[in-house]
Amino acid sequence: YSAEKHQNMNLIAMSKPQNICSDIYTSGSLKGKYKRKDLYEQAMYIDTPKGIIIISGCSHSGIENIAQRAKKLFPDKSMLLVCGGWHLSSKSDDEINEICKNLKLLGVEKVAPSHCTGTKQIAKIKSIFKEDFLELYLGDLINHNKLELKNFS
């Protein structure tokens, strides 16, 4: 980080869940592990008329934990979509089954796992969520009203 390069930037540390602008919230700091070291990251929650969209980075704290925090923050809202990296490439089919079961128990309607989730794991998630699985790529736009993706690739 170079303060000289970012003179006009105001960095704000957010360790707790917080509204950052209209209908957009941070999860607050979530503790996970990466290569046996503690790692802190955040997810983004978008409050739409149809429910909450959860956008994760790599989910080192666990995608279930990220979704559970969203449900705790928005108990009366549906969990419309969970998308982003889920960091599951080392997980077995049984572990993927359990994660998907727990997401469904939280009321997650649709999923779009990407990048660090793992190719085999994404295929397994797709087989579980079926028509509620969305393929999401860098540059795609999400229309939350119809929950359609517009691919610009």
Side-chain angles (χ1 to χ4, degrees):
Y1 171 77
S2 169
E4 290 175 12
K5 282 185 175 180
H6 304 286
Q7 291 177 30
N8 297 324
M9 185 185 299
N10 184 17
L11 295 177
I12 301 168
M14 294 185 180
S15 59
K16 295 182 180 176
Q18 193 170 337
N19 178 248
I20 53 178
C21 66
S22 178
D23 299 324
I24 299 177
Y25 299 79
T26 174
S27 64
S29 185
L30 295 157
K31 183 179 179 181
K33 291 272 189 196
Y34 183 66
K35 296 185 178 179
R36 293 186 217 138
K37 292 185 181 182
D38 288 345
L39 177 73
Y40 296 87
E41 61 187 337
Q42 297 192 28
M44 182 169 35
Y45 305 135
I46 303 172
D47 185 4
T48 77
K50 292 193 170 196
I52 302 301
I53 295 176
I54 301 169
I55 302 174
S56 67
C58 286
S59 304
H60 292 102
S61 62
I63 195 62
E64 297 158 287
N65 294 330
I66 292 169
Q68 283 173 350
R69 181 162 293 178
K71 194 63 178 171
K72 185 176 179 180
L73 291 170
F74 306 96
D76 298 326
K77 297 284 256 178
S78 65
M79 298 291 110
L80 183 61
L81 171 66
V82 177
C83 62
W86 294 9
H87 207 78
L88 300 176
S89 59
S90 64
K91 301 293 184 192
S92 69
D93 280 356
D94 288 342
E95 290 171 304
I96 298 298
N97 286 336
E98 186 69 17
I99 290 165
C100 290
K101 179 182 102 178
N102 291 334
L103 289 174
K104 287 183 175 195
L105 287 172
L106 285 167
V108 171
E109 295 176 26
K110 297 192 181 292
V111 297
S114 61
H115 70 282
C116 65
T117 305
T119 305
K120 178 181 162 209
Q121 290 74 12
I122 288 174
K124 180 66 177 171
I125 295 164
K126 185 176 185 176
S127 75
I128 295 168
F129 275 89
K130 299 180 179 18
E131 67 276 352
D132 293 325
F133 176 92
L134 304 173
E135 292 190 30
L136 184 63
Y137 299 99
L138 181 65
D140 287 354
L141 295 178
I142 302 170
N143 178 339
H144 65 82
N145 290 315
K146 299 178 186 175
L147 209 52
E148 294 176 340
L149 299 177
K150 178 149 179 116
N151 186 288
F152 287 99
S153 333

